[in-house]
Amino acid sequence: MIKVLAIDDEPLALKQLAAYIRKMPYFSLVAECQSALEARQVMDSETVDAIFCDINMPDLNGMEFVRQLAVRPLIVFTTAYSEYAVEGYKVDAVDYLLKPFGLNEFQRAAEKIRSRLAAAPSAGVGGGEPSSIFVKTDYRMVRVTISDIRYVEGMSEYLKLHLESQPKPLITLLSMKKMEEFLPQNFMRIHRSYIVNLDKVTEVNKNRVILDADTYLPIGDNYKEHVQQYLDNHYLGK
């Protein structure tokens, strides 16, 4: 099942959006949120594959909310204002639904989400988050369990996959952008050359992420805001 989040500050619009989501047999509605701030809290504890998000909302509008996400699910914007369409595609939105939209329009957007997820390596029937991927290395196709990946290191046109289960990394011909798109939400791009499995991080110290006593990864200037947002969302303190 594809886990979907619905966000709209108008109660009736949110109710209709949730009803459409429930009509899709391959969708599972994670939560109905009346603000982007509420959605943030949900995403701290729940896996989300796709978001249907209103744009014009108080406190934090939908466009800014999506821009601030360290790891983005697939996005479909819903709004009554057509001038937002161009901005929506700038953040790689899957689709843009202009209110009021009907079930047929919604279904077309839903199918785009399903197609996009189905194209990911090892995606299950009906999409969803993959548990493993196949990568080509030394003329072989090797299955890699995603949870086994500690971090990914970019080297020009190649990637090094550093794994828990073996001392030597796997080297494969693949772009960082493509790998970043396929990895689930617990992976974060922290540098132009590094994607880290956040579950393996033991400490964040100044400008680096620490996995263990021997493994330190730098945080690039362009990624510091995303890392800080993740820390703020998971910090238990004043």
Side-chain angles (χ1 to χ4, degrees), residues 53-71:
C53 184
D54 186 24
I55 294 177
N56 230 16
M57 295 186 291
D59 297 325
L60 180 64
N61 73 47
M63 196 70 68
E64 287 305 312
F65 165 67
V66 170
R67 285 198 183 101
Q68 291 177 15
L69 291 175
V71 180

Side-chain angles (χ1 to χ4, degrees), residues 19 21 33 58 95 100 135 137 165 203 212:
I21 290 172
C33 301
D95 209 346
V135 297
T137 181
S165 59
E203 186 179 337
D212 56 44

Side-chain angles (χ1 to χ4, degrees), residues 16 19-20 24 32 61 69 71 85 107 117 176 183 207 213 217:
Q16 182 65 74
Y20 284 164
M24 301 297 109
E32 302 170 41
N61 73 47
L69 291 175
V71 180
Q107 190 166 13
L117 286 173
M176 287 287 280
L183 289 173
N207 295 321
L217 304 179

Side-chain angles (χ1 to χ4, degrees), residues 2-15:
I2 301 171
K3 297 179 180 179
V4 180
L5 190 63
I7 311 172
D8 201 307
D9 67 311
E10 299 176 11
L12 290 178
L14 181 60
K15 184 177 180 180

Side-chain angles (χ1 to χ4, degrees), residues 55 57 94 120 158 173 189 211-212 222-224 238:
I55 294 177
M57 295 186 291
V94 173
Y158 291 85
L173 179 62
R189 183 89 172 261
L211 278 69
D212 56 44
N222 293 335
Y223 302 89
K224 287 180 180 178
K238 295 182 180 180

Side-chain angles (χ1 to χ4, degrees), residues 36-206:
L37 300 179
E38 184 183 347
R40 270 184 182 173
Q41 293 179 338
V42 171
M43 293 179 70
D44 282 344
S45 58
E46 297 283 347
T47 299
V48 175
D49 300 312
I51 300 175
F52 285 82
C53 184
D54 186 24
I55 294 177
N56 230 16
M57 295 186 291
D59 297 325
L60 180 64
N61 73 47
M63 196 70 68
E64 287 305 312
F65 165 67
V66 170
R67 285 198 183 101
Q68 291 177 15
L69 291 175
V71 180
R72 289 179 194 165
L74 299 183
I75 305 294
V76 173
F77 285 115
T78 65
T79 183
Y81 302 94
S82 59
E83 63 267 25
Y84 285 118
V86 173
E87 289 299 311
Y89 288 111
K90 283 183 180 178
V91 295
D92 196 28
V94 173
D95 209 346
Y96 177 95
L97 293 173
L98 186 62
K99 297 178 180 179
F101 53 88
L103 180 59
N104 287 342
E105 294 165 286
F106 177 87
Q107 190 166 13
R108 283 194 291 271
E111 287 294 340
K112 289 182 181 179
I113 289 173
R114 182 161 74 155
S115 296
R116 189 80 77 88
L117 286 173
S122 298
V125 177
E129 207 169 76
S131 60
S132 63
I133 55 175
F134 279 94
V135 297
K136 190 173 183 179
T137 181
D138 295 331
Y139 306 102
R140 299 175 296 133
M141 294 296 288
V142 179
R143 182 190 292 274
V144 177
T145 301
I146 290 178
S147 60
D148 190 35
I149 301 173
R150 301 183 71 215
Y151 65 98
V152 179
E153 181 181 1
M155 307 184 307
S156 186
E157 297 178 345
Y158 291 85
L159 298 181
K160 281 185 178 180
L161 274 60
H162 297 263
L163 308 177
E164 288 270 359
S165 59
Q166 58 186 67
K168 290 186 178 180
L170 293 178
I171 299 177
T172 185
L173 179 62
L174 193 66
S175 71
M176 287 287 280
K177 179 175 172 52
K178 184 67 69 174
M179 179 61 77
E180 187 178 11
E181 289 173 354
F182 286 155
L183 289 173
Q185 289 187 359
N186 57 310
F187 284 80
M188 181 186 290
R189 183 89 172 261
I190 61 167
H191 188 276
R192 65 191 300 268
S193 300
Y194 293 101
I195 299 171
V196 67
N197 184 343
L198 295 168
D199 294 338
K200 312 294 186 184
V201 174
T202 60
E203 186 179 337
V204 179
N205 185 356
K206 295 182 180 178

